[in-house]
């Protein structure tokens, strides 16, 4: 029967394909051929495995018919650009059929884990925020709410608390909860939803009767039951491969009336990204909440007798141990349950148990999370093991090391992928800084040892032929040599700090070494033998005590990235400017015997930070040779500097998109009126005192930062005319008391940050200004105690407001009407 249904379906697809061959475009025909090929392979699977008429098999076939018919409809109506999800799910159906037993029975668990002694800590603020800003807020067009975060961080717990909240029960007539990761087919989702939203007293919809219906009938019934009524549907633990389009089509025809679909997942589903949605990002617990969760868990559910309770005098040692959990509730509960099972009765026994806690069991619990990650991201996940635990990572460093280690020239998409799948998080919402939970970092170490030949010298098991090595040095101990083979080593990272006293012979074994990173190591002398590493492409020396680069650096003929920033007054050899392989040079406070001659660096994309006098001298025009330059940072500009030549040269660089200009100490910067000639510039930062703003700015400018400008005149009247500006940061940029945003100003601005304007007392917003503003930040403006009433005029646009001010002002602002309609408000004294 099952085989007959699939064969009939394939015949329909083939027949229509033949009829449309002359009329359809080539790519349309190819799309349908892909689907037909998948269906044909499913027929072969059914034949080979000799399936019976198992329940799950029938459900999969129902999904297959649904997807194929929908694809055929899209094909007929020339909508093949949205047919991809049909193809993906048909492929998923094929894989799931392969997992079925011979009788079509289920081969994987379908039960949800229930914690009998559920302990909830630290969710009050999350519950209040989600309810106020997402569930009950007036923006009804945002029907999707995504609760996002890494595995074990409390997404399901938060969703359950919201689902059972008294106000939610009172607000929504129908509620339904489906754990999608435990569901095998789309049909099961539809059946589970119907069984929960069926009207009391109707006996039509028993589980067995629903199973006999096809998917389209189930969706139609779901639509009929929910039509015109407020509902809350929770799709818990949503995997990326599940197609949401069919469910959405059944629901989108409603007059929502505030209905919500809540999704918990470690990522934001591709389908949801194309719709208006809200995302609530789960954060790790702070140390106080971590301890509360640990203490309540270990003492809950009658696990311990009164004489076995965790002793208060060991609270300090317990908190030290909990640091390794990184605020992850899953890890904290696992440690607490692990200790509770051992049932110590004395303080000495408890202290011994604390020292012997096994965190490996937590990594095992995270294994399903790792398996769910996009396979394309796994090499980059493993590469995170190279970096220090609990460190803030710069985006450019991540991208450059990935590029060198793995040869990926599109690594920025993988960076976005790691953020989307909750592997790393943006620090303070900035796309230039990232962090990783320490528990997840330990998992990356484990996987890197297994997958990419990674080792931590003296800490983890050594690989036979390591490709990536981390050496951890204590400041009390000298650098220790490796006795392991080095000929296959690609990257070498130094963590900690200590004396670097390796002999020149040490470096001779690194035949394939491409990356050396010594950032924050405390290095004073870079050995001359560094020049023997002729395959080296990345050399990270940031934030050390290096006084001089050896001339042998010039022998690194393949070096692409040199980072010597934050080394005070470093002497650099002249040969550095003859290294035509360099792509990125990061430096600050460098000394050179001769002025820079950088005309050879034609591949250079980044140059920071270079002194104006070193960059522009005599009549040399070396800048004209930097045709690939994208980012430039120039410092030491003062009133005596003539910048006409600099702007004239920069205007000829077609790829220069990012520019930073810094003044010289407390002197005013020169007149910058010619900035407008840099028409390709996208981001600009001016750091230093300005007597006045330039008369014009680059037309394409999208991001502008004014730092320490100390302007006497309100800058908003001029800046408001920048039609493409979407981010404006003013940091100690204005000394006046009144600031006025002109009428219809800042047409494209989305983010406005005002910081350290110590005299500002009054902020006014003209009619029609800031129409697209999404986020407003005000930090350390101690005289600004009121906000413009105009902030209420466009609440749909302004969704986020942050303020750091005094305790008195923060209380006053919270109680004012000016922020009453802003969705996300965060005011801290």
């Amino acid at each position: 029967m099952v085989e007959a249904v699939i064969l009939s379906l394939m015949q329909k697809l083939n027949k229509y394909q033949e009829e449309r061959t002359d009329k359809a475009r080539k790519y349309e025909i190819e799309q349908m051929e892909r689907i037909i090929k998948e269906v044909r392979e499913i027929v072969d699977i059914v034949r080979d495995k000799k399936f019976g008429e198992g329940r799950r098999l029938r459900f999969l076939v129902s999904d297959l018919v649904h997807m194929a018919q929908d694809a055929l409809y899209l094909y007929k109506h020339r909508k093949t650009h949205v047919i991809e999800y049909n193809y993906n799910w048909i492929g998923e159906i094929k894989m799931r059929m392969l997992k079925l037993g011979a009788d079509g029975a289920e081969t994987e668990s379908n039960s949800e884990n229930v914690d009998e002694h559920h302990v909830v800590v630290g969710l009050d603020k999350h519950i209040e925020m989600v309810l106020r800003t997402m569930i009950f807020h007036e923006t009804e067009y945002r029907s999707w709410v995504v609760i996002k975060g890494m595995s074990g961080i409390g997404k399901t717990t938060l969703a359950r608390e919201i689902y059972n909240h008294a106000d939610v029960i009172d607000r929504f007539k129908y509620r339904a909860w489906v754990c999608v990761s435990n569901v095998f087919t789309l049909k099961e989702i539809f059946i589970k939803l119907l069984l929960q939203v069926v009207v009391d007293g109707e006996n039509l919809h028993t589980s067995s009767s629903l199973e006999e219906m096809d998917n389209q009938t189930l969706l139609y019934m779901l639509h009929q039951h929910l039509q015109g009524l407020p509902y809350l549907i929770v799709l818990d633990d949503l995997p990326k491969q599940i197609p949401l389009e069919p469910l959405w089509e059944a629901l989108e025809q409603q007059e929502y009336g505030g209905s919500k679909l809540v999704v918990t997942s470690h990522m934001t589903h591709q389908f949801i990204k194309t719709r208006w949605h809200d995302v609530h990002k789960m954060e790790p617990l702070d140390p106080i909440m971590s301890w509360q969760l640990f203490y309540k868990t270990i003492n809950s559910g009658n696990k311990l007798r009164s004489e076995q309770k965790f002793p208060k005098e060991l609270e300090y040692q317990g908190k030290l141990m909990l640091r390794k959990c990184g605020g992850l509730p899953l890890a904290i509960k696992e440690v607490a349950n692990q200790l509770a099972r051992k049932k110590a009765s004395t303080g000495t026994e408890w202290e011994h148990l604390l020292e012997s806690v096994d965190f490996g069991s937590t990594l095992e619990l995270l294994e399903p999370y790792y398996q769910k990650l996009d396979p394309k991201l796994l090499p980059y996940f493993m590469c995170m093991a190279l970096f220090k635990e609990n460190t803030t990572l710069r985006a450019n460093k991540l991208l450059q090391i990935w590029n060198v280690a793995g040869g990926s020239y599109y690594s920025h998409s993988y960076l976005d992928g790691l953020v989307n799948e909750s592997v790393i998080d943006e620090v303070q919402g900035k796309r230039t800084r990232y962090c990783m939970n320490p528990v997840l970092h330990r998992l990356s170490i484990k996987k890197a040892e297994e997958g990419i030949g990674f080792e931590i010298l003296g800490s983890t098991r050594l690989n036979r032929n390591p490709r990536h090595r981390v050496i951890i040095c204590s400041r009390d101990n000298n650098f220790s040599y490796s006795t392991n083979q080095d000929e296959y080593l690609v990257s070498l990272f130094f963590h900690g700090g200590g004396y670097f006293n390796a002999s020149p012979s040490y470096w001779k074994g690194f035949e394939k070494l491409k990356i050396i990173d010594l950032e924050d190591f405390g290095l004073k002398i870079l050995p001359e033998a560094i020049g023997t590493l002729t395959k080296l492409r990345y050399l990270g020396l940031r934030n050390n005590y290096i006084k001089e680069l050896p001339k042998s650096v010039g022998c690194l003929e393949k070096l692409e990235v040199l980072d010597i920033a934050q080394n005070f007054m470093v002497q650099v050899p002249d040969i550095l400017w003859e290294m035509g392989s360099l792509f990125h040079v990061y430096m600050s406070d460098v000394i050179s015997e001769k002025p820079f001659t950088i005309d050879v660096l034609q591949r250079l994309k980044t140059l920071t930070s270079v002194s104006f006098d070193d960059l522009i001298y005599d009549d040399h025009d070396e800048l004209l040779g930097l045709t690939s330059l994208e980012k430039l940072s120039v410092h030491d500009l003062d009133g005596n500097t003539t910048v006409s030549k600099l702007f004239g040269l920069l205007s000829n660089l077609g790829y220069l998109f990012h520019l930073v200009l810094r003044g010289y100490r407390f002197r005013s910067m020169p007149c910058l009126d010619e900035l407008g000639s840099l028409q390709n510039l996208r981001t600009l930062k001016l750091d230093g005192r300005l007597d006045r703003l330039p008369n014009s700015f680059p037309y394409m400018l999208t991001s502008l930062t004014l730092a320490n400008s100390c302007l006497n005149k309100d800058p908003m009247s001029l800046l408001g005319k920048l039609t493409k500006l979407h981010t404006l940061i003013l940091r100690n940029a204005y000394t006046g008391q009144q600031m006025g945003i002109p009428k219809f100003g800042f047409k494209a601005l989305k983010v406005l940050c005002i910081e350290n304007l110590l005299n500002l007392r009054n902020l006014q917003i003209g009619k029609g200004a800031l129409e697209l503003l999404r986020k407003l930040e005000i930090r350390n403006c101690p005289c600004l105690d009121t906000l413009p009433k105009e902030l209420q005029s466009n609440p749909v646009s302004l969704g986020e407001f942050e303020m750091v001010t005094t305790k008195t002002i923060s209380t006053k602002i919270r109680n004012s009407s000016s922020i009453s309609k802003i969705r996300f408000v965060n005011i801290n004294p």
Side-chain angles (χ1 to χ4, degrees), residues 645-656:
K645 181 178 180 180
L646 174 64
F647 291 143
L649 295 173
L650 295 182
S651 64
N652 291 301
L653 303 181
Y655 295 101
L656 184 65

Side-chain angles (χ1 to χ4, degrees), residues 623-671:
L623 272 174
L624 291 176
L626 305 185
T627 54
S628 300
L629 195 65
E630 298 176 2
K631 182 175 182 179
L632 175 66
S633 175
V634 184
H635 61 81
D636 289 350
L637 278 73
D638 63 19
N640 298 321
T641 304
T642 304
V643 293
S644 298
K645 181 178 180 180
L646 174 64
F647 291 143
L649 295 173
L650 295 182
S651 64
N652 291 301
L653 303 181
Y655 295 101
L656 184 65
F657 299 137
H658 314 282
L659 178 63
V660 178
L661 300 177
R662 288 188 170 90
Y664 183 80
R665 297 182 181 177
F666 301 104
R667 303 177 190 174
S668 293
M669 295 176 69
C671 175

Side-chain angles (χ1 to χ4, degrees), residues 2 46 51-52 54-62 97 100 104:
V2 167
V46 173
F51 285 122
R55 173 173 171 268
R56 281 298 168 84
L57 180 61
R58 288 187 284 110
F59 282 9
L60 284 171
V61 173
S62 184
M97 280 188 173
L100 288 177

Side-chain angles (χ1 to χ4, degrees), residues 253-389:
Q253 303 171 31
Q254 321 275 356
E255 293 180 3
Y256 287 111
S259 295
K260 297 290 181 179
L261 294 101
V262 179
V263 168
T264 73
S265 180
H266 67 277
M267 41 75 74
T268 304
H269 196 284
Q270 189 62 38
F271 176 77
I272 298 176
K273 288 181 180 179
T274 62
R275 271 97 185 138
W276 285 98
H277 66 280
D278 286 313
V279 178
H280 180 79
K281 183 72 174 64
M282 295 295 293
E283 302 291 342
L285 298 177
D286 62 31
I288 295 175
M289 291 299 177
S290 294
W291 175 253
Q292 289 182 10
L293 179 60
F294 170 80
Y295 197 75
K296 286 185 178 181
T297 301
I298 200 171
N299 293 326
S300 68
N302 298 319
K303 294 174 182 173
L304 303 176
R305 299 189 301 272
S306 59
E307 67 272 14
Q308 294 175 329
K309 299 297 183 182
F310 190 85
K312 269 290 194 181
E313 61 268 22
L314 291 181
E315 182 174 332
Y316 177 74
Q317 291 95 316
K319 289 181 177 179
L320 287 178
M321 180 269 301
L322 283 183
R323 290 182 181 178
K324 296 183 179 180
C325 295
L328 187 67
L330 175 74
I332 296 169
K333 289 183 178 182
E334 170 61 21
V335 167
N337 290 327
Q338 185 183 137
L339 292 173
R341 286 192 294 269
K342 297 180 180 179
K343 296 183 178 180
S345 58
T346 67
T348 303
E349 290 177 351
W350 275 115
E351 190 169 8
H352 175 71
L353 290 179
L354 285 176
E355 296 173 354
S356 63
V357 169
D358 177 20
F359 290 94
S361 57
T362 301
L363 301 187
E364 293 178 5
L365 293 175
L366 287 176
E367 187 66 28
Y369 169 67
Y370 175 80
Q371 297 299 331
K372 292 176 185 177
L373 295 177
D374 187 336
K376 296 178 181 178
L377 297 177
L378 297 184
Y380 302 92
F381 174 83
M382 288 185 271
C383 277
M384 298 302 294
L386 299 170
F387 305 100
K388 296 178 185 177
E389 184 178 297

Side-chain angles (χ1 to χ4, degrees), residues 122-152:
L123 286 182
D124 290 345
K125 66 176 183 179
H126 294 280
I127 294 170
E128 190 276 333
M129 177 176 290
V130 174
L131 290 178
R132 180 178 64 84
T133 64
M134 300 180 187
I135 303 297
F136 296 143
H137 199 267
E138 295 176 359
T139 54
E140 296 181 4
Y141 64 92
R142 292 177 180 261
S143 53
W144 291 94
V145 175
V146 180
I147 300 176
K148 181 175 177 287
M150 65 172 288
S151 180

